[in-house]
Amino acid sequence: MASKSSIDHEVIPVTALNCNFRKKLGLYLNPQNTVAADWRTVAEMMDFTYLEIKNFEKRDYPFEKVLTEWETRPEATVANLLSILEKAERKDVITDLKEIIDDDCRKYLERQLRKPVQVPVVDSCGPRTQEREGITLFDDPQGLIPETFDAFICYCQNDFQFVHEMIKQLEQTEYNLKLCVFDRDVLPGTCVWTIASELIEKRCKRMVVVISDDYLDSDACDFQTKFALSLCPGARSKRLIPVVYKTMKKPFPSILRFLTICDYTRPCTQAWFWTRLAKALALP
């Protein structure tokens, strides 16, 4: 069992903290406080915008939603959460909840130690191997050379017309990039969630996320985006690239706000749009 002194909060994600801690932390931070820093101060220190914080205010338990959104970011470690609380001068929270935090961290470390060595297994989507075979149109039938791509395109069906334009501009020009477009490149009969994970993690250098109002309502897009963000420490090297191609009525997703956006809606920068996107995808 990990001792208290051996716990390194820097390597433990906030997702390791359980419901009991989250509930008690909310009891400290949710009430409006004219003296001590409340959830708004902490949310601001987590780099949420004023408009995002105003949206969180509509929730019955706003800080729980703040924490859920923040924990998808690469910097969301237990150490950073404690640092934010300390900078917000809420050492009282750290002191009162330290035992719960350390207990959750020890349990997380013990679960990591208990994880078995991965061997080929059979799941509901077929045999799991080091690299799945025959999942894309031009995969080697023998599985010796799996097909790879410059970028996985995360999109919803209503945005498919723009994806067609992306194919035209990036694949059929001098850029000569290779995009993974699920409806075109993935063979039918495969397990959607498992194959998407395989492609994002092992077959594609980067991921382009086509952001729109419809994207925000797509379960598949939500899964693909959060999965790509969860790849740690690979999340930084995978380089998610958010693309906005039309005006949105809904707020931009906060989990992608810390990434540089490629914006097609601004007439003054449209001439540079495809060049910037292509150069970003072509990087090693």
Side-chain angles (χ1 to χ4, degrees):
M1 179 179 293
S3 64
K4 291 184 180 180
S5 61
S6 68
I7 295 175
D8 181 2
H9 295 127
E10 288 282 357
V11 300
I12 300 177
V14 168
T15 50
L17 300 175
N18 293 318
C19 294
N20 185 38
F21 166 80
R22 292 163 186 265
K23 181 179 178 181
K24 290 188 176 182
L25 183 60
L27 291 176
Y28 279 95
L29 298 179
N30 280 328
Q32 294 188 33
N33 199 318
T34 56
V35 180
D38 60 17
W39 71 269
R40 295 171 183 79
T41 304
V42 174
E44 197 169 66
M45 294 176 74
M46 289 175 170
D47 204 27
F48 288 102
T49 65
Y50 172 76
L51 288 178
E52 287 171 326
I53 292 172
K54 295 300 289 183
N55 281 329
F56 289 138
E57 282 182 347
K58 300 173 184 177
R59 304 283 181 143
D60 292 333
Y61 305 100
F63 187 69
E64 284 84 338
K65 180 61 176 174
V66 170
L67 196 59
T68 300
E69 291 283 347
W70 184 68
E71 68 188 12
T72 63
R73 301 180 185 178
E75 71 270 20
T77 64
V78 173
N80 283 340
L81 176 61
L82 294 175
S83 176
I84 288 170
L85 290 172
E86 188 169 348
K87 289 176 183 176
E89 299 184 352
R90 292 307 305 262
K91 291 183 180 179
D92 58 317
V93 178
I94 298 173
T95 301
D96 291 351
L97 299 184
K98 188 176 188 307
E99 188 174 339
I100 297 175
I101 293 170
D102 286 344
D103 189 47
D104 283 350
C105 289
R106 283 195 298 275
K107 289 176 181 176
Y108 170 82
L109 292 172
E110 288 165 9
R111 286 196 298 271
Q112 296 302 107
L113 289 173
R114 288 199 301 267
K115 281 188 176 179
V117 177
Q118 285 193 346
V119 295
V121 297
V122 176
D123 61 18
S124 59
C125 298
R128 182 184 296 274
T129 58
Q130 185 67 23
E131 293 282 353
R132 291 178 181 271
E133 303 171 6
I135 63 175
T136 61
L137 197 60
F138 294 106
D139 254 351
D140 180 353
Q142 305 301 318
L144 299 176
I145 307 175
E147 187 177 13
T148 58
F149 303 85
D150 291 300
F152 182 92
I153 310 302
C154 173
Y155 64 94
C156 68
Q157 293 299 315
N158 289 342
D159 297 323
F160 201 55
Q161 185 175 350
F162 181 73
V163 175
H164 271 289
E165 182 65 18
M166 189 179 294
I167 291 169
K168 177 182 175 182
Q169 294 289 341
L170 299 180
E171 288 191 338
Q172 301 169 11
T173 60
E174 70 275 12
Y175 299 124
N176 197 30
L177 293 168
K178 188 175 181 182
L179 309 179
C180 181
V181 179
F182 207 93
D183 290 288
R184 179 192 67 176
D185 297 311
V186 176
L187 296 177
T190 52
C191 178
V192 173
W193 308 107
T194 307
I195 297 309
S197 303
E198 166 88 9
L199 291 166
I200 293 167
E201 183 176 8
K202 298 179 181 179
R203 306 282 197 99
C204 301
K205 288 197 300 181
R206 287 175 174 76
M207 178 163 144
V208 175
V209 187
V210 181
I211 308 295
S212 67
D213 289 333
D214 295 306
Y215 160 90
L216 296 172
D217 295 326
S218 168
D219 290 338
C221 290
D222 183 64
F223 167 79
Q224 291 166 10
T225 303
K226 288 180 177 176
F227 176 79
L229 286 171
S230 73
L231 297 174
C232 188
R236 292 176 179 81
S237 63
K238 288 296 178 184
R239 299 255 333 253
L240 269 75
I241 302 174
V243 168
V244 177
Y245 79 99
K246 62 182 178 181
T247 304
M248 295 176 61
K249 296 179 181 178
K250 299 177 182 178
F252 188 84
S254 59
I255 61 171
L256 296 175
R257 187 174 47 79
F258 63 94
L259 296 173
T260 305
I261 302 169
C262 211
D263 192 347
Y264 193 70
T265 65
R266 298 167 59 196
C268 59
T269 61
Q270 262 187 19
W272 309 324
F273 177 86
W274 295 112
T275 301
R276 291 178 68 229
L277 182 57
K279 291 288 186 182
L281 297 180
L283 290 172

